[in-house]
Amino acid sequence: MIVVQKYGGSSVADTDRIKRVAQRVAAARRGGHDVVVVVSAMGKTTDSLLRQASEISVIPPGRELDMLLTAGERISMALLAMAMHELGYTARSLTGSQAGIITDAVHGKARIIDVTPGRIRQGLDEGHVVIVAGFQGVSRDSKDVTTLGRGGSDTTAVALAAALDAGVCEIYTDVDGVYTADPRIVPGARKLARVSHEEMLELAAGGAKVLQVRSVEYARNHGVAVHVRSSFSYSEGTWVDNGDDMEQAMISGVAHDTGEGKLVIRGVPDKPGVAARVFTDLARANVNIDMIVQNVSSDGTTDISFTLPLADGPRAQLLLEALLPEIGAEEITFDTDVAKVSLIGAGMKTHPGVAATMFAALSDAGVNIEMISTSTIRISVVIRADAVAPAVQAVHDAFGLAEPDVAGVGGRVSGASGRGRRVTEAQA
Ligand code: ADP
Ligand code: ASP
Ligand code: MG
């Protein structure tokens, strides 16, 4: 069986940890498996490289930024290969390009469009442990090196697991699974034994960075079973799978994201075509838009607000400043002190009152809501960034997510084991 193991930045933060990872890989190898390892950059390497780039340029050329950032993962892969050799195993490290990760040409957030793992298979056939640099690929068109967006090594691992038809894709990180909220913010958060692709997708989109959104999309589309677990223990983690035969969870968790900003375009003339123009241009510039709110107009003008990744802020601002005269809007402001808090649960679509309970919990905690958006299994709000910890805690408490045996709010939900709140017959 082929096993794909991905080790995140904290798992390879220094050379001692790399040696420990090598021990784990060796154990899998001794278990008779063919092992493909995907590594992230050591510790905060990617952040340091980004900082260095920003000291030189506000908007660095995407091609060069990607060239810079991919260096981080190359350091880890080579050091891990050396550590394997020290343990008496042969290993071959490969860059994303060498490993056959083919992407589109969008620097900084390239999508994987094909995987041609010939060199990986060859390495495995020759008896090597194959180590692949995560988070990177090569553009089919431009032949330039690309990166897959922050957290992209998760997607490398899932894509390789799919292409190699691996038995399992293990994501090793610094927490022992997916929790009902970020355990760094909510100490009482509970580990989920299983979570469906759909719920995990919303958790990840809501900012639970334990898995990159695209890795979950990829896993869902290709039927890859993902096991999120700790590289610091041997305990069973969380299985992310298609959710068949799962009991319906009412609420699976609370996610938060402080990595987005709120951009407001004021005094937009209230006439057809303006929103289309703004968002078409932003889409062309590959700016990811999240929540959009347009106010009711007064005096023939309105405000359009939306959230977007902080990293896309400068580019979006530059683009919109240039567009202002044409659309006849007054001004643009970019607010970086916001946070998004999302409540996720597949059961909420059949349960009225979930939004009301969430908003009441935020109100009781003195948290002001600035924007709201919903999907069938998610409710998201934008709040001030400094309110994020109390907000997440309050919402987590309101739905009784910490304790499996404690009845949830209003008695609408009952005890659960292993996953989020389940819907019992009495409630349904
Ligand atoms: P890695 O470097 O291994 O890829 P990340 O930092 O990307 O690790 O992701 C792991 C982190 O995700 C954890 O340390 C945790 O703080 C955070 N996190 C956020 N939400 C959740 C959640 N619901 N469950 C588990 N971890 C979460
Ligand atoms: N090193 C990259 C990052 O920090 C990719 C990853 O860790 O998955 O975002
Ligand atoms: Mg990560």
Side-chain angles (χ1 to χ4, degrees):
M1 175 170 99
I2 296 178
V3 172
V4 175
Q5 299 187 330
K6 177 257 172 177
Y7 292 90
S10 48
S11 306
V12 293
D14 54 38
T15 46
D16 279 338
R17 289 194 181 174
I18 288 178
K19 288 183 199 168
R20 251 189 286 158
V21 165
Q23 299 277 8
R24 283 193 99 109
V25 175
R29 198 76 192 90
R30 282 196 301 277
H33 303 306
D34 283 339
V35 188
V36 176
V37 186
V38 174
V39 282
S40 290
M42 295 170 73
K44 303 257 175 248
T45 301
T46 308
D47 291 332
S48 315
L49 294 172
L50 277 169
R51 201 172 325 110
Q52 284 178 315
S54 73
E55 283 163 14
I56 291 179
S57 169
V58 179
I59 306 177
R63 180 186 188 279
E64 304 312 327
L65 189 59
D66 276 357
M67 200 57 117
L68 178 72
L69 295 184
T70 52
E73 270 68 12
R74 293 177 66 145
I75 295 172
S76 312
M77 73 175 189
L79 291 174
L80 180 59
M82 293 173 198
M84 294 310 306
H85 282 278
E86 284 300 309
L87 294 180
Y89 293 82
T90 63
R92 290 283 180 274
S93 65
L94 299 172
T95 65
S97 167
Q98 290 175 317
I101 305 285
I102 315 294
T103 71
D104 61 21
V106 183
H107 286 293
K109 50 182 105 158
R111 273 185 183 277
I112 297 176
I113 53 179
D114 195 12
V115 181
T116 52
R119 292 194 69 180
I120 298 181
R121 285 199 188 280
Q122 187 189 343
L124 294 176
D125 288 346
E126 290 170 359
H128 305 301
V129 170
V130 177
I131 302 167
V132 178
F135 170 61
Q136 56 184 273
V138 62
S139 159
R140 173 143 69 195
D141 298 334
S142 68
K143 309 288 182 232
D144 282 328
V145 165
T146 54
T147 61
L148 310 178
R150 297 307 306 267
S153 300
D154 298 332
T155 306
T156 306
V158 172
L160 290 180
L164 296 165
D165 205 13
V168 62
C169 179
E170 297 183 319
I171 304 287
Y172 285 94
T173 183
D174 58 359
V175 277
D176 53 9
V178 179
Y179 279 69
T180 49
D182 186 342
R184 286 177 208 266
I185 294 230
V186 180
R190 193 161 43 84
K191 186 171 82 182
L192 304 171
R194 284 179 77 188
V195 63
S196 71
H197 286 133
E198 297 308 325
E199 290 161 309
M200 192 62 231
L201 211 52
E202 294 282 9
L203 281 168
K209 64 178 180 149
V210 60
L211 284 178
Q212 195 199 30
V213 180
R214 281 184 183 173
S215 72
V216 188
E217 259 169 8
Y218 210 102
R220 180 193 58 187
N221 296 347
H222 293 82
V224 177
V226 173
H227 187 190
V228 180
R229 55 193 309 196
S230 169
S231 67
F232 303 97
S233 81
Y234 282 88
S235 60
E236 180 86 359
T238 301
W239 284 90
V240 184
D241 57 29
N242 58 21
D244 286 355
D245 76 300
M246 266 193 195
E247 261 185 80
Q248 178 95 313
M250 155 98 166
I251 299 296
S252 39
V254 185
H256 72 278
D257 194 347
T258 49
E260 292 192 347
K262 182 171 81 170
L263 202 147
V264 183
I265 314 174
R266 288 188 208 286
V268 182
D270 194 9
K271 59 179 192 212
V274 176
R277 180 66 207 268
V278 166
F279 292 107
T280 303
D281 281 22
L282 289 168
R284 279 208 192 106
N286 282 301
V287 174
N288 282 336
I289 305 298
D290 187 16
M291 292 159 78
I292 304 176
V293 171
Q294 177 171 329
N295 290 346
V296 179
S297 70
S298 64
D299 304 331
T301 67
T302 181
D303 295 346
I304 298 178
S305 314
F306 55 90
T307 59
L308 72 173
L310 287 174
D312 286 349
R315 251 176 336 117
Q317 268 177 291
L318 204 70
L319 186 155
L320 293 175
E321 293 285 357
L323 202 61
L324 270 194
E326 191 181 322
I327 58 174
E330 274 160 29
E331 59 161 358
I332 287 163
T333 56
F334 187 48
D335 183 348
T336 56
D337 283 332
V338 296
K340 181 174 71 172
V341 173
S342 306
L343 181 70
I344 289 100
M348 70 169 68
K349 50 185 153 190
T350 49
H351 281 71
V354 173
T357 303
M358 178 178 178
F359 300 158
L362 291 169
S363 154
D364 290 346
V367 177
N368 184 45
I369 300 172
E370 299 181 20
M371 291 166 95
I372 299 173
S373 86
T374 59
S375 82
T376 45
I377 66 166
R378 174 185 49 78
I379 301 165
S380 300
V381 297
V382 169
I383 59 171
R384 286 292 98 198
D386 59 10
V388 73
V392 173
Q393 183 73 59
V395 175
H396 196 264
D397 288 348
F399 289 92
L401 292 172
E403 294 300 327
D405 299 324
V406 175
V409 69
R412 285 184 295 106
V413 288
S414 76
S417 62
R419 27 191 342 247
R421 298 266 142 226
R422 291 178 194 192
V423 181
T424 64
E425 281 204 61
Q427 301 143 10

